[in-house]
Amino acid sequence: MGSKKLRRTGVSADICERLKRHQVETCQDVLSVTPVELMRLAGLSYPAALDLLRLVSKACVPAVSTAWDLWRKKGELCFSTSLPALDRLLQGGLPHGALTEVTGPSGCGKTQLCIMLSVLATLPRTMGGLDSGVIYIDTESAFSAERLIEMAQARFPEFFSAKERLLEMASRVHLFRELTCQDVLNRLERLEEDIIACRAGLLILDSVASVVRKEFDTSLPGNLTYRSNLLGQEAAVLKYLSQEFCIPVVLTNQITTHVGEKVHCPQWNQADVPAEEDSGFVTAALGNTWSHSVNTRLIVQYEDTERRQIVIAKSPVAPFAVLSYTIQREGIRLEGNASPESVLNQGTDPGLQPIRVRTGFIYNLSQATPSTC
Amino acid sequence: MHRTVPSLPLAPSVKVKLINAGFQVASDLTDMRPLQLCKEAGISQEEAVEVLQMLRDDGQPHQQRAATESLTALDLLHQEQALGSIVTFCSALDDTLGGGVSMGKTTEICGAPGVGKTQLCMQLAVDVQIPVCFGGLGGKALYIDTEGSFLVQRVADMAEAAVQHCTLLAEDTEQKQALEELTVEKILSNLFLVRCHDYVELLAEVYLLPDFLSKHPEVRLIVIDSIAFPFRHDFEDLSQRTRLLNGLAQQLIQLATQHSIAVVLTNQMTTRVSNGQSKLVPALGESWGHAATQRLILRWEGLRRLASLYKSPSQMEATVQYQITVQGFRDASDEHRPTPDTSAVSSQLGNHSKRPRTEDLS
């Protein structure tokens, strides 16, 4: 809206000419100056400058609606994750028009969750899906088409018994491989056409952190601000896309070590935690500003060598909660979540929530079947 | 009338021509006729008329206005008492704020991610609609969302809880009648929503707010959530950002005082590194700290959420604990309240009476 040219807004031609001489051609240029500056640039009196600002504002102001209009489209507000306990907590599923971030240590299941959501999005609405395409932007080359097929067959065996259905599902997932920050940003800025062409109902970016962290050394001066600006731009574009097309956006993030005092977190009370008294602890990467930009943050972490946990660390609708899961052939399976005590009315700063990393490995050579990833 | 010509709010080219023609002070221009001014200064006829009209508005009516517009502090006190405030449903926070979020002022809410800024804003957008007979303001709200964190399911839950709250309080016929009209549907219909994607749309919306408010005079609350996000990543020229933010702050203060509405802004926190230590401070720079009249900082302390009143012209600095429950923004202590007794519940609607405050000053 801001890039609308002035001559299309009803501003008189000679004012447009005068402004053009000062490189002021779009609505954004006009609104980026103060009224006094505009007086000088356009050669107008103060009241006339204010009128000009109002006229230009009318051309690019967004429409006003009411919360009731939004509420009436209730059925289309969430994307069910097919994990009942998680859907219940999130009041329906992943919200449309908002960014959901999944963060955690490597090997915990972030990409598995993304692949599972891709399968779900292509399902018909009667089965809880979105009946739409999926745009998957992969920066780590971690997406595996074979895993996609395997998961679809294992999770919905009757539906995907016919081979054509599998192929059709696979053809609806559109994969983009981008390997640098600038590539990712360029892709995002041109994504509108792709979303319309693929009729996409889900956008996945896996992962945000990998490209950013390998290109920016934050110990160098100036890099931190540049990185924050880039992330802010990415977040703004993603929010715009998710809002305008009313689709959920899922991002993945990595972890980093935070040096400082450990923050108490509720779920550690149940397990017997070894007192790892370092001066640092592991938390979500990309900093405090990024934590503001995402609307929902799900942390995946290790509970013990077999089981993992999903923690709802930041959500506008859900309380702080912890759910256990394992990774099977059919994707994520929630288990052992009968007790509702894990739901609290408290929480911690989602930017400082400590995350449990893998501390032990199974080296069982006698077990030939690799059941965990 | 001793105003010099360069200081008048006229177009620069007109000012240059007037000065070249020898007019230095505004009083030189007062007795001129348009055609004469046109010939002497070499400006067009319309410009001459504009100049003379501006001088006429600048002169007498201004002095008259100055005489009538000075208020005594007593008048101001009556006005402020009649205005009321918007409760937050957290009685500790309401006490700290002196009854709730004040009308006619801008309040800024800063906080770390996930601490409850959007929850508080949504709660206020619901609370401003509580009918007058229950001690509320019975007004509408405008929610300007720049981050996409407004989720209507949550507002519906809060509206439901507020309606139940009022149901428990209803005693006489007037309140019961108001309660019949207070439904979740009505609360959601009275909540106007604008989604701005960048700072240009936000500035455009604020320039058009006076028109909006004259079309919808029942709007008593404007929420901008958040004002930080659009301004934090698009600007290489930080001084331009400061100028735009200052202009924005001024416009919002003007709106708040002229229309007697409450303006609530949300700000983010940023990390500042000093002496090898990093702290969280409110974003948008030091000069933004002067923009809002009242400043509330929400933060985490371990597992608790705390709210501190950081800057206020009338209240003392204080820190209280609050929590976010299924019903919304609440006190920290009332975790499980299945059937609250009416006396405790009525105190939550503010420490003033359920009726609008009557004149108790003679």
Side-chain angles (χ1 to χ4, degrees):
Chain A
M1 289 293 172
S3 54
K4 202 168 181 182
K5 296 274 183 199
L6 280 180
R7 55 174 184 270
R8 294 181 47 231
T9 59
V11 175
S12 71
D14 61 281
I15 297 188
C16 283
E17 274 308 309
R18 276 185 252 167
L19 289 174
K20 200 166 177 180
R21 263 177 264 143
H22 297 273
Q23 286 100 39
V24 173
E25 289 187 52
T26 63
C27 294
Q28 176 165 349
D29 298 332
V30 170
L31 289 171
S32 303
V33 296
T34 58
V36 176
E37 285 169 8
L38 190 62
M39 269 175 68
R40 188 179 55 84
L41 293 174
L44 295 170
S45 63
Y46 190 70
L50 290 180
D51 285 336
L52 176 63
L53 280 170
R54 267 200 291 273
L55 183 60
V56 170
S57 300
K58 281 204 189 102
C60 56
V61 75
V64 182
S65 64
T66 67
W68 180 241
D69 297 332
L70 213 57
W71 181 242
R72 277 195 301 207
K73 300 189 283 189
K74 214 179 345 179
E76 303 153 22
L77 288 178
C78 284
F79 170 41
S80 158
T81 59
S82 82
L83 305 169
L86 185 61
D87 282 345
R88 235 192 339 267
L89 285 169
L90 291 175
Q91 298 212 13
L94 302 182
H96 287 223
L99 307 187
T100 304
E101 181 197 64
V102 182
T103 183
S106 65
C108 220
K110 305 187 292 289
T111 305
Q112 300 298 307
L113 181 61
C114 291
I115 296 179
M116 193 180 86
L117 291 173
S118 309
V119 173
L120 291 173
T122 59
L123 292 177
R125 285 188 188 268
T126 47
M127 291 180 67
L130 298 173
D131 196 17
S132 65
V134 176
I135 290 194
Y136 197 111
I137 304 181
D138 186 6
T139 64
E140 293 176 321
S141 302
F143 183 83
S144 156
E146 287 177 358
R147 183 74 176 114
L148 181 75
I149 305 283
E150 183 193 9
M151 225 189 258
Q153 277 176 325
R155 206 172 186 97
F156 303 102
E158 319 87 36
F159 185 76
F160 286 114
S161 52
K163 199 163 178 207
E164 307 85 52
R165 285 227 180 106
L166 272 179
L167 298 178
E168 199 220 328
M169 183 270 296
S171 70
R172 279 173 135 187
V173 177
H174 301 259
L175 188 67
F176 295 98
R177 285 220 165 95
E178 309 294 343
L179 296 170
T180 68
C181 281
Q182 201 52 44
D183 285 345
V184 171
L185 199 57
N186 292 342
R187 170 68 58 192
L188 288 178
E189 283 172 1
R190 287 191 308 248
L191 207 55
E192 281 185 53
E193 299 172 8
D194 298 307
I195 295 181
I196 297 175
C198 317
R199 269 198 287 274
L202 172 65
L203 174 58
I204 297 183
L205 177 50
D206 177 19
S207 72
V208 175
S210 65
V211 276
V212 168
R213 292 176 89 192
K214 73 179 185 223
E215 284 185 28
F216 291 97
D217 179 3
T218 50
S219 58
L220 296 177
N223 263 5
L224 193 56
T225 14
Y226 193 69
R227 189 181 91 161
S228 302
N229 275 350
L230 181 77
L231 288 174
Q233 278 179 346
E234 277 187 23
V237 173
L238 287 168
K239 285 189 196 215
Y240 173 71
L241 292 172
S242 74
Q243 170 76 23
E244 289 299 308
F245 291 104
C246 223
I247 57 176
V249 174
V250 177
L251 317 162
T252 56
N253 192 2
Q254 294 172 346
I255 52 171
T256 183
T257 318
H258 181 98
V259 179
E261 277 185 29
K262 196 173 288 191
V263 177
H264 265 295
C265 60
Q267 79 274 19
W268 289 40
N269 295 337
Q270 21 199 116
D272 41 311
V273 176
E276 303 149 23
E277 282 319 317
D278 330 274
S279 58
F281 59 95
V282 165
T283 181
L286 297 182
N288 171 69
T289 308
W290 179 252
S291 306
H292 277 294
S293 302
V294 297
N295 302 106
T296 306
R297 173 170 273 177
L298 303 175
I299 296 181
V300 292
Q301 63 182 12
Y302 288 92
E303 192 180 339
D304 52 40
T305 44
E306 287 273 347
R307 303 211 308 178
R308 300 125 200 254
Q309 291 177 326
I310 295 184
V311 179
I312 303 181
K314 176 182 178 186
S315 165
V317 290
F320 184 89
V322 178
L323 300 168
S324 296
Y325 71 95
T326 55
I327 302 187
Q328 308 291 343
R329 277 191 69 223
E330 74 265 17
I332 310 271
R333 186 201 296 170
L334 290 183
E335 5 195 289
N337 289 308
S339 57
E341 265 78 60
S342 50
V343 176
L344 306 163
N345 277 337
Q346 296 165 330
T348 52
D349 188 338
L352 294 175
Q353 172 72 27
I355 303 179
R356 293 197 67 173
V357 296
R358 185 178 240 165
T359 47
F361 294 88
I362 316 173
Y363 293 115
N364 268 342
L365 296 175
S366 53
Q367 285 180 310
T369 47
S371 59
T372 51
C373 301
Chain B
M1 295 316 268
H2 298 290
R3 210 167 160 183
T4 56
V5 164
S7 71
L8 292 175
L10 297 167
S13 51
V14 172
K15 280 195 264 195
V16 164
K17 288 186 190 152
L18 288 176
I19 294 175
N20 286 344
F23 296 102
Q24 299 291 345
V25 187
S27 48
D28 293 342
L29 288 164
T30 32
D31 291 324
M32 300 286 290
R33 321 285 311 261
L35 286 175
Q36 198 181 358
L37 184 59
C38 180
K39 282 196 207 113
E40 288 202 20
I43 55 181
S44 74
Q45 289 174 347
E46 294 83 12
E47 284 172 348
V49 170
E50 200 185 344
V51 168
L52 291 173
Q53 268 182 350
M54 182 162 311
L55 286 174
R56 233 175 285 139
D57 292 335
D58 229 27
Q60 267 212 326
H62 181 73
Q63 284 165 349
Q64 278 181 354
R65 249 186 293 133
T68 52
E69 255 181 36
S70 79
L71 292 176
T72 62
L74 185 62
D75 297 332
L76 206 53
L77 184 62
H78 287 308
Q79 274 182 11
E80 280 182 8
Q81 282 182 343
L83 275 181
S85 44
I86 311 178
V87 291
T88 62
F89 273 162
C90 168
S91 52
L93 187 59
D94 287 337
D95 289 340
T96 316
L97 291 171
V101 171
S102 358
M103 309 296 287
K105 296 201 177 98
T106 49
T107 307
E108 182 186 343
I109 304 177
C110 315
V115 77
K117 306 184 289 291
T118 306
Q119 302 291 312
L120 179 54
C121 291
M122 295 197 284
Q123 184 73 60
L124 289 171
V126 168
D127 292 348
V128 75
Q129 302 185 38
I130 294 177
V132 175
C133 50
F134 285 101
L137 294 165
K140 302 190 183 175
L142 171 65
Y143 199 105
I144 303 179
D145 185 11
T146 62
E147 280 187 329
S149 33
F150 183 87
L151 285 189
V152 73
Q153 305 93 304
R154 189 69 178 126
V155 180
D157 287 343
M158 288 184 178
E160 182 72 50
V163 169
Q164 275 180 0
H165 216 128
C166 291
T167 316
L168 292 167
L169 283 183
E171 286 171 354
D172 54 31
T173 47
E174 189 190 345
Q175 292 181 332
K176 290 208 170 74
Q177 215 172 12
L179 200 55
E180 278 169 40
E181 295 171 351
L182 191 68
T183 60
V184 171
E185 174 179 347
K186 181 147 172 283
I187 293 183
L188 291 179
S189 319
N190 287 342
L191 218 180
F192 295 103
L193 187 59
V194 180
R195 178 85 171 83
C196 294
H197 293 113
D198 53 26
Y199 75 92
V200 176
E201 291 186 5
L202 179 60
L203 288 171
E205 181 63 35
V206 174
Y207 276 122
L208 295 177
L209 276 180
D211 301 336
F212 180 83
L213 288 175
S214 38
K215 248 194 328 185
H216 299 274
E218 328 80 35
V219 169
R220 309 306 307 279
L221 170 68
I222 296 184
V223 176
I224 303 186
D225 178 20
S226 67
I227 206 165
F229 181 69
F231 282 100
R232 285 187 80 186
H233 57 87
D234 266 338
F235 284 91
E236 292 99 29
D237 182 4
L238 284 185
S239 57
Q240 181 195 20
R241 184 180 90 167
T242 312
R243 282 200 298 277
L244 289 177
L245 281 174
N246 283 343
L248 197 58
Q250 270 195 331
Q251 285 176 316
L252 292 171
I253 294 181
Q254 206 175 17
L255 283 172
T257 37
Q258 273 179 356
H259 300 263
S260 299
I261 57 176
V263 176
V264 174
L265 314 168
T266 320
N267 195 1
Q268 297 178 347
M269 301 291 260
T270 183
T271 325
R272 180 188 296 171
V273 182
S274 61
N275 309 338
Q277 263 199 338
S278 68
K279 313 190 300 176
L280 280 184
V281 296
L284 295 180
E286 279 297 333
S287 47
W288 177 251
H290 301 290
T293 318
Q294 273 187 331
R295 207 176 215 193
L296 206 57
I297 296 194
L298 309 179
R299 61 197 157 93
W300 293 99
E301 195 177 86
L303 295 178
R304 307 191 300 164
R305 298 173 204 242
L306 300 178
S308 308
L309 184 62
Y310 198 73
K311 170 186 174 188
S312 167
S314 49
Q315 307 296 325
M316 221 167 59
E317 291 189 11
T319 302
V320 300
Q321 190 183 348
Y322 67 93
Q323 71 180 10
I324 315 280
T325 66
V326 167
Q327 295 139 349
F329 199 85
R330 293 289 188 272
D331 273 306
S333 48
D334 53 53
E335 257 193 289
H336 302 291
R337 277 174 156 259
T339 44
D341 52 306
T342 43
S343 57
V345 158
S346 69
S347 74
Q348 278 206 343
L349 275 186
N351 50 6
H352 47 257
S353 59
K354 289 188 284 199
R355 307 286 161 164
R357 197 183 295 206
T358 51
E359 293 285 341
D360 49 5
L361 292 169
S362 51

